[in-house]
Amino acid sequence: MKAIWVLGCLAGAGLCSCGSVQSGSRSASPEPSWRVDEEVYQTMERGKGAIEISLQDQRLTLRDDMGRTVIETDCSTGIDGRETPTGTFRIKEMIVDKRSNKYGKYVSKETGEVIVEKSWEVSQKPPGTEYLGIAMPYWMRLTWDGVGIHVGEFPKGYRTSFGCIRMPEEVQPLIYERSRLGMPVTVRL
């Protein structure tokens, strides 16, 4: 069985979504890591499996329909007060280049300069600006109130989102490629 462990590097990615909260020091935390069993990955049919997320361990596992681990990776879930919900969900929506309609910034229509960094902290859109949602690449929606799995920056071992499950940018496209609408995702403590 051929498996590869990879140490991710997200420092320069600039992909911080579901709000911009981080607990702890970025420099003191190791980067997220993951393992892909290439042999099982190549034989897994799209959507024939399940995703399991451990809130305690801050880990996501993709399993095939025979229960074999295809991908195991660090992830980051919701902070205190904005916890990721537990339970079994089905993937409701998949969008490669999704942008948040809830978390973003207001930029000048003329120059593109950022006027308000965190749109959710102001009650009205400033005049002369437009909303630019935070990028959430390889989005897989779990709930209709905005919780999903997507690419997002995070230090290993820390909960950093406003409810979503943030994933390393190098591994989320692989999980997305083997997922489909209706596939089960179980989130447990």
Side-chain angles (χ1 to χ4, degrees), residues 5 17 22 40 48 51 53 62-63 71 111 113 117 131 136 138-139 143 158 166 169-170 176 183 186:
W5 278 98
S17 50
Q22 289 188 351
V40 178
K48 300 284 185 175
I51 294 172
I53 298 164
L62 172 65
R63 297 191 190 282
I71 297 173
T111 66
E113 175 188 0
E117 186 67 38
Y131 174 79
M136 303 186 306
Y138 296 94
W139 167 255
T143 72
Y158 288 91
R166 292 185 186 176
E169 71 175 318
E170 296 86 350
Y176 187 96
M183 189 168 157
T186 300

Side-chain angles (χ1 to χ4, degrees), residues 32-188:
S33 62
W34 58 90
R35 182 181 65 86
V36 177
D37 185 319
E38 289 184 352
E39 187 177 311
V40 178
Y41 182 84
Q42 293 303 323
T43 60
M44 181 183 178
E45 288 185 56
R46 186 172 199 164
K48 300 284 185 175
I51 294 172
E52 301 166 4
I53 298 164
S54 168
L55 298 178
Q56 179 178 340
D57 298 333
Q58 295 294 288
R59 299 286 292 171
L60 180 145
T61 305
L62 172 65
R63 297 191 190 282
D64 69 7
D65 59 350
M66 294 190 300
R68 297 178 295 180
T69 299
V70 180
I71 297 173
E72 185 176 31
T73 180
D74 291 319
C75 67
S76 181
T77 61
I79 61 171
D80 288 341
R82 299 206 177 181
E83 291 86 358
T84 302
T86 58
T88 299
F89 307 90
R90 299 258 176 202
I91 297 173
K92 300 176 180 313
E93 176 183 65
M94 296 177 68
I95 301 173
V96 171
D97 58 356
K98 168 87 169 149
R99 286 195 166 269
S100 177
N101 58 5
K102 193 173 186 179
Y103 301 107
K105 53 190 160 191
Y106 289 113
V107 298
S108 167
K109 287 182 181 178
E110 291 182 16
T111 66
E113 175 188 0
V114 176
I115 305 300
V116 175
E117 186 67 38
K118 298 177 180 177
S119 64
W120 61 94
E121 292 181 348
V122 298
S123 59
Q124 290 184 316
K125 177 179 132 182
T129 65
E130 59 187 359
Y131 174 79
L132 179 62
I134 295 171
M136 303 186 306
Y138 296 94
W139 167 255
M140 300 187 325
R141 180 183 296 277
L142 302 182
T143 72
W144 288 118
D145 58 347
V147 175
I149 304 169
H150 60 81
V151 171
E153 184 178 307
F154 65 94
K156 181 176 181 167
Y158 288 91
R159 296 181 301 132
T160 58
S161 82
F162 285 177
C164 284
I165 298 92
R166 292 185 186 176
M167 300 291 295
E169 71 175 318
E170 296 86 350
V171 74
Q172 179 59 11
L174 299 174
I175 293 168
Y176 187 96
E177 181 61 33
R178 289 299 184 260
S179 301
R180 73 172 179 195
L181 295 176
M183 189 168 157
V185 177
T186 300
V187 181
R188 60 178 169 76

Side-chain angles (χ1 to χ4, degrees), residues 20-36:
S20 296
V21 174
Q22 289 188 351
S23 302
S25 168
R26 179 106 177 109
S27 60
S29 300
E31 297 295 331
S33 62
W34 58 90
R35 182 181 65 86
V36 177

